[in-house]
Structures are given as structure tokens and as C-alpha cells.
Amino acid sequence: MRIVVTSDSHRRRNYLYDIIDRHIDNADLFIHCGDGEGDVENIPFIYPKIRFECVAGNCDWESTMPLWKVVKFADKKVFFCHGHTYGVKHGYERLLETAKKEQVDICLFGHTHTPYIEKIDGIYLINPGAVCNSSYAVIDIIDGKINAYHAKI
């Protein structure tokens, strides 16, 4: 089972569509971690058969999207947000505290534009980097094991 994670597309919707097109046949879930509301609004119409989840970022002004979500996927619990409300540019402590409280296996965030993967206290913290910088993340869950890596378009 595969999740493709994006964030911070900042009007580079063609990059976002390139990522979806690359993984449309091998991903089971696409998640966008904010700062791209205008970029994601047509995805359900252009790609009606994919499972797509998204949240609002700090540049998604007047958005009606939630600031965070939790989804179940491949027997794993996944929390995702943009990260600005957790101060991720100054450290991951508040984000990790929330991930622990929610009892998740995977915690996804954006905002910093910096790719990041680390397992802390049994929770994978993953920032896909920024679509506007050609970066995204792929998470494979096979036999209950999580393998995450960064990719470029």
C-alpha cells in the first residue's frame, strides 16, 4: 500500500499534477499538507478515481478545509497538518506531542519546505518538502512495515 505526500505547491499545480500522473497507477492515497488550496480544488474532477485528502496551510486564506486530519490507512493511523499551527519552523516538539496524544503511527506536515524523515518514539515524522521545489514523499506500507523516502519531479 502506498501514500504519496505533497505540500506547499504554491500555485505550481502542474508540478502537483505531474506527481499524481506519475503515481496514479501505484498509489492508494494522495495527501496534500497545505499551501495549495487553489491547486487542489480541481483534483476530484480531474482525478475522480483517486483517494485524495488535504488540509489548509497558512497561505490558504479563508479556506474551509480543516487544519488537520487523521485517517486510517493499511492498519496505520496517519495524522497530517500543514505545521504552522504547531510551530514546526522552530522545532517539532508540539507536533510530536499531538501525534502521541492522537496515538498515530505516521505524522505528516509541511510548511518548512525542507524534506524530513525521522522516527521518534515509534512515530514517523515526515515532511515531503515543497512541490514548488519539486519535492514530495512516498510512504510504502508492506506487511505492517513503514518505508518512507523523498522523490523529485
Side-chain angles (χ1 to χ4, degrees), residues 1-5 23 26 28-29 73-74 76 78 105-106 108 116-119 122-126 136-151:
M1 301 290 286
R2 175 172 282 176
I3 306 171
V4 172
V5 185
H23 293 281
N26 64 24
D28 304 287
L29 172 61
F73 179 80
K76 301 295 181 190
V78 182
D105 302 289
I106 301 169
L108 308 172
Y116 175 82
I117 297 173
E118 187 171 0
K119 187 176 182 182
I123 299 170
Y124 283 86
L125 290 181
I126 302 170
Y136 66 101
V138 176
I139 304 167
D140 289 320
I141 303 171
I142 300 170
D143 296 327
K145 296 185 192 305
I146 298 168
N147 180 40
Y149 60 92
H150 291 104

Side-chain angles (χ1 to χ4, degrees), residues 81-116:
C81 64
H82 186 59
H84 64 295
T85 58
Y86 297 93
V88 297
K89 285 190 176 180
H90 306 287
Y92 305 139
E93 295 81 10
R94 289 176 44 210
L95 182 64
L96 184 59
E97 181 181 313
T98 300
K100 288 177 182 179
K101 180 181 171 192
E102 293 290 332
Q103 299 179 322
V104 300
D105 302 289
I106 301 169
C107 179
L108 308 172
F109 65 101
H111 191 52
T112 67
H113 293 209
T114 304
Y116 175 82

